Amino acid sequence: MDQSVRPSRSEVEAAFRTIIRWTGDDPDRDGLHETPRRMARAYEEYFRGYNEDPEAILSKTFEETEGYDEMIVLRGIRFESHCEHHMAPIIGRAWVAYIPSGRVVGISKLARIVEVYAKRLQIQEKMTAQIANAIDHVLQPQGVGVVLKAEHFCMTARGIMKPGTDLVTSRMLGCFRDSAVTRQEFMSIID
């Protein structure tokens, strides 16, 4: 989005005041007086991923691996996101794997890639692909596997209201797509 057309903080706070009025409450009453300011700050946090560059995060790699060429898996990375259809929370976990081609990345960078994409308006399918595609593009490994499991509040807390239901998505690239053995090894690690 062009930053020159991005609304100001005061415009955002005014919009939240309007939403409070629309719900039937008074944005000027004691308990709500500071809420528009708090909501603006919260939304900055919820959507901070738009201000981060995934490729820059993955750009620092290490080549001193002694020829390590086996699967690297970071399991159960907790994430919070928001669906782009209702702006309702998506709460889940991610499993990210790759098989290096000479270069590895610090494991915290894998968690940060999940976080960058989670902190944007999302659908889970797109987020799964974005994580895998970024790792594949920057690291150019032999293969990448990403699995996300998440509960979508747009379905569990509204609409059809089916709490306890989660969505599972996966993206397999390179040897994770081409080799049933590699894919099965990765999938067996997911709990």
Side-chain angles (χ1 to χ4, degrees):
M1 177 179 183
D2 180 1
Q3 294 298 318
S4 66
V5 296
R6 191 173 185 183
S8 70
R9 167 69 71 128
S10 63
E11 289 174 302
V12 171
E13 290 179 16
F16 285 129
R17 288 177 60 77
T18 299
I19 290 169
I20 292 168
R21 279 194 317 276
W22 178 79
T23 67
D25 215 323
D26 177 7
D28 292 319
R29 75 172 172 83
D30 255 1
L32 291 175
H33 180 70
E34 295 295 321
T35 299
R37 182 180 54 80
R38 288 185 193 112
M39 289 179 71
R41 276 201 328 261
Y43 273 59
E44 281 177 334
E45 185 177 329
Y46 297 155
F47 303 116
R48 69 179 181 266
Y50 289 109
N51 299 319
E52 297 184 64
D53 178 3
E55 290 191 17
I57 291 169
L58 291 169
S59 66
K60 182 173 180 176
T61 60
F62 307 97
E63 293 183 19
E64 298 170 359
T65 63
E66 297 294 325
Y68 186 85
D69 61 358
E70 298 293 328
M71 191 178 302
I72 297 168
V73 182
L74 191 58
R75 302 182 331 151
I77 307 162
R78 189 178 186 321
F79 68 86
E80 299 88 26
S81 190
H82 287 81
C83 83
E84 66 183 36
H85 302 131
H86 301 95
M87 293 182 78
I90 301 170
I91 309 294
R93 296 183 352 172
W95 288 258
V96 178
Y98 71 102
I99 297 177
S101 291
R103 301 181 312 157
V104 298
V105 68
I107 59 172
S108 69
K109 304 304 188 251
L110 297 176
R112 286 192 62 203
I113 289 303
V114 171
E115 189 74 0
V116 164
Y117 287 115
K119 296 302 182 187
R120 299 177 180 189
L121 291 171
Q122 282 293 5
I123 63 168
Q124 186 172 323
E125 298 87 343
K126 180 173 75 173
M127 182 176 157
T128 305
Q130 288 172 324
I131 294 165
N133 294 345
I135 293 167
D136 190 56
H137 176 73
V138 176
L139 299 183
Q140 299 179 356
Q142 296 177 52
V144 178
V146 174
V147 171
L148 270 56
K149 293 182 182 183
E151 183 174 347
H152 292 246
F153 282 49
C154 59
M155 190 179 103
T156 63
R158 60 154 304 281
I160 193 159
M161 300 186 73
K162 295 295 180 193
T165 304
D166 61 5
L167 177 66
V168 179
T169 53
S170 66
R171 172 78 158 194
M172 306 292 167
L173 301 172
C175 62
F176 285 81
R177 179 182 291 269
D178 300 337
S179 168
V181 171
T182 303
R183 178 189 291 254
Q184 183 54 42
E185 180 183 348
F186 175 47
M187 297 305 279
S188 72
I189 293 172
I190 296 170
D191 45 41

